[in-house]
Amino acid sequence: MAKIAFILLCHKDPDAIIAQARSLTEAGDCMAIHFDARAKEADWRRIRTALADNPNVTFARKRIKCGWGAWSLVQATLHAVEAAVETFPRATHFYMLSGDCMAIKSADYAHELLDRDDVDYIESFDYFESDWIKTGMKAERLIYRHYFNERTQKGLFYSAFNLQKKLGLTRAIPADLQIMIGSQWWCLRRRTVEWVLDFTRERRDVMRFFRTTWIPDETFFQTIVRHVVPNHEIRTRTLTFLMFSDYGMPVTFYNDHYDLLLSQDFLFARKISPGATELKSRLGELYLSGRTDFTISNEGKRLYKFLTERGRIGRRFAPRFWETEASLGRERELLIVTSKKWHVAKRLVEQIRQSTSLPCIDYLFNEESTPLPDLGGIQSTLEKRTRHRRALLRMLFDYYGSNRLVICLDPSMLDMIQDFYADRCTCRLLEIDCDFTDDYLLGHARRVGLAGADTPQDTVDLLLPTIRYDVVYESDQIRDANFPLFERIRESADAETNTAPLARFLSIPEPQARALAETDHLFTD
């Protein structure tokens, strides 16, 4: 059975470190600790004294002062790994942790998972081909030498960088290495760790290179492991659940996140709030519980993204309009039907298709499976359709030989509606205002991945009001935009009331519009 040697890098909160060490080692696992040499000496002595009689705890032979983005973090990790390899010969896996991490599964569950596959778990994406680095320096992290800490010696850091850049003092990346990048929270097999340590002793040139790269804790192990281990023995993922805000800050978990954390497909979570004493207590008990019946819904990241992006529609991170110079044509008319209940819009559009000569297309920018003619590949993916939206619609107008076209869009796509209204063509917009039960909203959350069949009821109860507000907010955004030629039909209105808006939207006689409004089961879920 797997025996884990935890590699703990920490710099504060000695009581939490002591509790963490005792909890994780009580299940038979072990731990090597590196406590930052910058921390208080009294805190260090307290940790050593409290854990001195624990045979499953050891300490890095050498403590060093660590700095964010600096080689010192990697060196501290290597010191702790060396101590663990030497002290715990029966350890089969080495799991990197911080003092802010806690287990979100039991020891039995973790051991079973690690025994299941003979692989290493480490994020390792191609440094140059992946989009892991979103902003800031990329190649510059590697091809220039970084001798100073960017956070504590900002002036020296950028002076040295700019001087090298001005003089063209670049350096080559070791020719036999494919530089990789990823999270520093890995879990490696003993054989892999021993190979990495051997590599560090044999390849002094590589060690010199990484010592002066910037943020090497995101590249060192990720590169070396990929170099010494066959690709099929690597799972390019971390077993530690972590999320980042859109400001690049780690998301912190609190007492009410217990059920959410347990339902994620990870063994540990980072980072737990220092003040979340109830959560820490429950997670500590969980690791020793022997429980293995965890239900994985894995909606955490999608749920967080959904909750934090409310109110930003059309403002931040909106898709770029790649083709603003391309017009659908002044003589053409685009009729947009928008509804959160896609099946209701599709039902109405099908009736329009049957009772008029208008070409109609369902949610072509929302559903990959929407039937479309072959237009040379531009229609093949949602990403292509969205990026080339105006070109796609011009080709559809041409394909159908019509100057009028009906399409469906989700109300969340306000930016796209605004883009089409900015065109020289004539745009008309019909909103279908539906009623929403809690059961329908829960089904919607499951369809879009915000919840799963096994999402805890407490999470569902917190989620439903947010989704309901989101639906209302999207509708309000559309109305507040004051689009010309905007019409609205309501589920709560009778067919007679809905007839006039349909007639105006489609430019058809009222008797024909009334037949559409009287469509059987139009609003039925």
Side-chain angles (χ1 to χ4, degrees), residues 418-465:
Q418 290 172 323
D419 183 38
F420 291 143
Y421 261 90
D423 190 79
R424 291 196 296 271
C425 73
T426 299
C427 267
R428 297 178 179 273
L429 179 63
L430 175 70
E431 181 190 13
I432 305 177
D433 184 12
C434 298
D435 300 330
F436 296 91
T437 65
D438 284 351
D439 286 342
Y440 180 85
L441 293 176
L442 179 57
H444 170 72
R446 288 171 175 162
R447 284 190 294 275
V448 299
L450 296 177
D454 301 311
T455 298
Q457 187 61 42
D458 288 347
T459 302
V460 170
D461 292 341
L462 291 171
L463 184 60
L464 284 179

Side-chain angles (χ1 to χ4, degrees), residues 347-395:
R347 234 177 251 147
L348 176 63
V349 165
E350 178 59 30
Q351 293 303 309
I352 294 173
R353 186 183 288 116
Q354 293 180 16
S355 63
T356 71
S357 59
L358 292 175
C360 302
I361 303 174
D362 295 337
Y363 287 84
L364 74 166
F365 295 108
N366 301 103
E367 288 187 302
E368 194 99 54
S369 59
T370 300
L372 290 171
D374 185 357
L375 301 173
I378 193 174
Q379 82 294 339
S380 59
T381 67
L382 285 177
E383 191 273 334
K384 284 186 178 180
R385 296 176 200 173
T386 302
R387 187 170 71 243
H388 305 295
R389 63 190 73 167
R390 292 190 181 185
L392 174 65
L393 290 183
R394 284 202 314 274
M395 295 172 77

Side-chain angles (χ1 to χ4, degrees), residues 301-320:
K301 292 186 178 180
R302 293 189 297 271
L303 179 58
Y304 176 77
K305 183 174 185 290
F306 167 77
L307 293 173
T308 54
E309 286 186 351
R310 298 308 87 198
R312 296 178 183 167
I313 299 167
R315 298 184 204 163
R316 299 185 63 189
F317 309 120
R320 298 180 182 180

Side-chain angles (χ1 to χ4, degrees), residues 104-105 255-265 282 291 293-300 302-303 442 445-446 449-465 467:
I104 57 174
K105 300 291 186 296
N255 289 333
D256 57 350
H257 288 131
Y258 179 80
D259 290 325
L260 174 70
L261 291 175
L262 265 58
S263 64
Q264 306 312 305
D265 188 20
R282 296 179 73 184
R291 177 182 168 186
D293 60 335
F294 296 94
T295 301
I296 306 301
S297 57
N298 220 31
E299 78 285 4
R302 293 189 297 271
L303 179 58
L442 179 57
R446 288 171 175 162
L450 296 177
D454 301 311
T455 298
Q457 187 61 42
D458 288 347
T459 302
V460 170
D461 292 341
L462 291 171
L463 184 60
L464 284 179
I467 296 177

Side-chain angles (χ1 to χ4, degrees), residues 121-297:
Y121 294 91
I122 182 169
E123 282 190 347
S124 104
F125 304 99
D126 185 277
Y127 188 91
F128 294 100
E129 296 299 324
S130 72
D131 63 347
W132 208 85
I133 298 175
K134 303 296 184 184
T135 60
M137 292 184 185
K138 190 166 186 177
E140 293 87 349
R141 290 193 191 185
L142 306 176
I143 63 174
Y144 296 108
R145 296 167 178 83
H146 302 279
Y147 299 104
F148 304 101
N149 187 283
E150 194 268 346
R151 290 197 172 177
T152 60
Q153 302 167 298
K154 190 177 292 288
L156 291 172
F157 178 91
Y158 285 105
S159 293
F161 167 67
N162 290 327
L163 181 61
Q164 293 178 77
K165 193 173 181 181
K166 181 178 180 180
L167 299 176
L169 299 178
T170 59
R171 61 176 174 177
I173 296 169
D176 61 332
L177 291 184
Q178 179 186 9
I179 304 299
M180 311 297 286
I181 191 167
S183 165
Q184 64 268 51
W185 311 112
W186 40 254
C187 179
L188 304 176
R189 296 166 295 173
R190 184 180 194 90
R191 182 186 66 179
T192 300
V193 165
E194 291 172 345
W195 284 348
V196 169
L197 293 177
D198 288 342
F199 185 94
T200 65
R201 299 181 190 109
E202 295 166 5
R203 292 294 302 271
R204 309 313 297 177
D205 59 321
V206 174
M207 298 298 284
R208 285 193 300 271
F209 172 78
F210 276 107
R211 279 194 183 97
T212 52
T213 59
W214 190 39
I215 320 182
D217 54 311
E218 294 179 351
T219 54
F220 179 79
F221 286 98
Q222 296 78 357
T223 298
I224 307 309
V225 169
R226 185 70 68 170
H227 186 75
V228 299
V229 176
N231 286 345
H232 68 273
E233 294 183 17
I234 298 174
R235 298 289 182 269
T236 307
R237 60 160 295 188
T238 175
L239 294 177
T240 298
F241 180 59
L242 67 162
M243 297 188 295
F244 290 90
S245 72
D246 54 359
Y247 298 102
M249 300 300 292
V251 173
T252 300
F253 300 107
Y254 299 93
N255 289 333
D256 57 350
H257 288 131
Y258 179 80
D259 290 325
L260 174 70
L261 291 175
L262 265 58
S263 64
Q264 306 312 305
D265 188 20
F266 297 87
L267 301 183
F268 281 75
R270 182 181 186 273
K271 64 190 217 172
I272 309 299
S273 169
T277 53
E278 179 187 343
L279 178 61
K280 289 183 176 183
S281 175
R282 296 179 73 184
L283 292 178
E285 293 172 3
L286 175 70
Y287 192 70
L288 302 173
S289 68
R291 177 182 168 186
T292 57
D293 60 335
F294 296 94
T295 301
I296 306 301
S297 57

